[in-house]
Amino acid sequence: MKYSRLSVALFVLSAVAVGTWIGCKSESNSTNSSGGGAAKPAVTLLNVSYDPTRELYNEFNKSFAEYWKEKNSQDVKIETTHAGSGKQARAVIDGLEADVVTLALAYDIDVIAEKGKLLPDDWQAKLPNNSSPYTSTIVFLVRKGNPKKIKDWSDLVKGDVQVITPSPKTSGGARWNYLAAWGFALQKELGDLSKLADVDAKAREAADVKAKEFVAEIFRRVPVLDTGARGATQSFIKNGQGDVLLTWENEAYLAVKNEPAGEYEIVTPSLSILAEPPVAVVENFAAKHKTTEVAEAYLQHLYSPQGQQLAAKHFYRPAKPETLSAEQRAQFADVKLFKINEAFGSWKEAQAKHFNDGGVFDQIYQPGSK
């Protein structure tokens, strides 16, 4: 997806404006720290996150503030911004002074480390489970009665089915959608994704050709590409576009919960991808704001029983499922999941091949073409 110079300029100006506010916040933190009173000065964190985490962090922020107040006798306020994950990463690089980032995929934080030089390259080793306190996967949301009889990925390219998904150029969820579909096609060609490690280059190339055709056909059926997952959900539910929404599992459950009973149904495909949304302290900004200690504690609290319970409540799969009851664990469908390294090597390799300018996505998707 291309952006006009005007839209980019407006976005950067917006980011700078927020950054200026954060600068004021930092000054306030620093000034208060020198007050010398008995009570610790209040502190403010900025969490830059992706679209579907709004409800989770709205509740988690309050939980952490209470925890921190009780433990340290200090007030903490957490501001959170949401948008497409790639767009959020770009904003941080351009000056949005996040204390922590909680994004949709590791590559977006890798970019902040590589281009922004705001945290170390080994950021993902600093917290358990590759710095992913919760995981998710990609499922389908269909309308009442599933009128197009969509049961698996192959049904997305039958008849006149229209598919709703955000743009992989800006949305982390969309990149998971795309790669989940690609992985399904690879498995269909090879019989089992585990064979990828043993097949020769020619067989892999042939399977990739089929996968490219399959994913291209899915995107040929996409009438509109929103910039983020929440926008795509709005297009499907509020605007009535499309027959099926490719979406995060948690986003699908939230839609079913919030909409009139029975209006939407979740379809779990036979195979999907293990989506690992990571979190990290943006160390340079946190140091500048004097918020490193509380920022680290904020992310570590996501791994606490309380944090894991909140993740499950908002339909994310906790990194520590043992903290859940059998009933809570049962809310998550039993689905075969593959990891990104099993089919694509790494996020860096997947990004370079599929989503960078001129990559496979640009080759298969032309806006307005049929």
Side-chain angles (χ1 to χ4, degrees):
M1 177 175 285
K2 306 295 184 186
Y3 298 96
S4 69
R5 293 174 65 87
L6 176 60
S7 64
V8 172
L10 288 173
F11 179 74
V12 171
L13 285 172
S14 175
V16 170
V18 177
T20 302
W21 178 83
I22 295 299
C24 294
K25 177 206 72 172
S26 172
E27 184 178 347
S28 175
N29 287 340
S30 177
T31 301
N32 288 342
S33 297
S34 61
K40 293 182 179 179
V43 64
T44 300
L45 293 181
L46 177 62
N47 173 8
V48 172
S49 195
Y50 65 106
D51 257 345
T53 61
R54 297 169 195 270
E55 293 77 13
L56 168 61
Y57 281 107
N58 183 47
E59 190 166 1
F60 178 78
N61 291 348
K62 295 173 185 174
S63 168
F64 176 74
E66 292 172 359
Y67 159 79
W68 190 256
K69 177 76 171 180
E70 181 178 353
K71 182 179 179 182
N72 297 284
S73 301
Q74 183 180 36
D75 291 319
V76 57
K77 180 180 179 183
I78 302 103
E79 302 282 355
T80 307
T81 70
H82 303 270
S85 185
K87 188 175 181 180
Q88 292 288 72
R90 185 71 253 170
V92 173
I93 294 169
D94 288 343
L96 180 57
E97 294 191 4
D99 299 280
V100 301
V101 286
T102 55
L103 296 178
L105 44 87
Y107 178 78
D108 287 333
I109 302 181
D110 283 339
V111 171
I112 296 172
E114 180 181 342
K115 296 185 177 179
K117 308 296 183 186
L118 296 170
L119 68 167
D121 292 339
D122 65 346
W123 62 269
Q124 204 165 10
K126 300 214 169 189
L127 288 167
N129 202 39
N130 289 325
S131 289
S132 294
Y134 42 78
T135 64
S136 189
T137 188
I138 301 302
V139 300
F140 309 151
L141 191 69
V142 298
R143 303 189 189 283
K144 183 178 182 179
N146 193 4
K148 295 297 176 72
K149 308 302 179 189
I150 295 167
K151 299 295 185 184
D152 211 342
W153 291 99
S154 54
D155 297 319
L156 301 182
V157 296
K158 292 180 178 177
D160 60 351
V161 170
Q162 280 199 324
V163 179
I164 300 298
T165 175
S167 171
K169 287 290 192 177
T170 52
S171 165
R175 276 174 274 178
W176 288 116
N177 293 348
Y178 174 110
L179 296 176
W182 195 285
F184 172 82
L186 289 180
Q187 176 174 267
K188 186 177 178 182
E189 292 304 311
L190 298 171
D192 193 324
L193 281 177
S194 64
K195 294 181 180 178
L196 277 172
D198 301 320
V199 298
D200 59 32
K202 189 174 181 180
R204 172 63 195 243
E205 183 179 352
D208 272 336
V209 168
K210 292 292 185 181
K212 183 177 180 180
E213 292 173 354
F214 178 69
V215 175
E217 179 59 26
I218 290 176
F219 276 89
R220 192 183 69 79
R221 294 160 179 266
V222 177
V224 57
L225 280 178
D226 292 286
T227 58
R230 188 55 56 89
T233 302
Q234 294 297 310
S235 292
F236 184 72
I237 292 179
K238 301 301 181 187
N239 301 334
Q241 293 180 290
D243 301 297
V244 55
L245 172 69
L246 310 188
T247 186
W248 295 93
E249 181 182 52
N250 55 285
E251 187 78 349
Y253 275 104
L254 190 65
V256 169
K257 176 184 175 183
N258 290 340
E259 297 301 319
E263 286 298 307
Y264 300 96
E265 300 175 16
I266 296 173
V267 174
T268 303
S270 62
L271 176 75
S272 197
I273 196 165
L274 178 66
E276 299 177 290
V279 301
V281 175
V282 185
E283 295 184 10
N284 286 15
F285 286 145
K288 175 181 177 182
H289 304 154
K290 305 184 188 306
T291 57
T292 299
E293 181 184 8
V294 66
E296 290 177 347
Y298 176 72
L299 297 186
Q300 289 165 357
H301 195 60
L302 285 165
Y303 293 87
S304 71
Q306 190 174 18
Q308 295 287 284
Q309 288 282 337
L310 286 175
K313 178 181 177 181
H314 292 278
F315 309 110
Y316 289 90
R317 298 182 179 224
K320 297 180 177 179
E322 65 273 16
T323 60
L324 306 184
S325 67
E327 182 180 7
Q328 288 172 314
R329 288 196 294 271
Q331 73 175 327
F332 300 107
D334 187 14
V335 55
K336 184 179 180 181
L337 301 173
F338 67 92
K339 294 184 176 181
I340 187 168
N341 63 315
E342 294 178 64
F344 304 99
S346 66
W347 257 115
K348 185 170 288 187
E349 292 173 79
Q351 176 72 28
K353 178 177 178 178
H354 294 278
F355 308 120
N356 281 355
D357 289 345
V360 175
F361 179 70
D362 283 344
Q363 297 165 25
I364 66 175
Y365 181 77
Q366 296 297 322
S369 65
K370 297 292 182 183

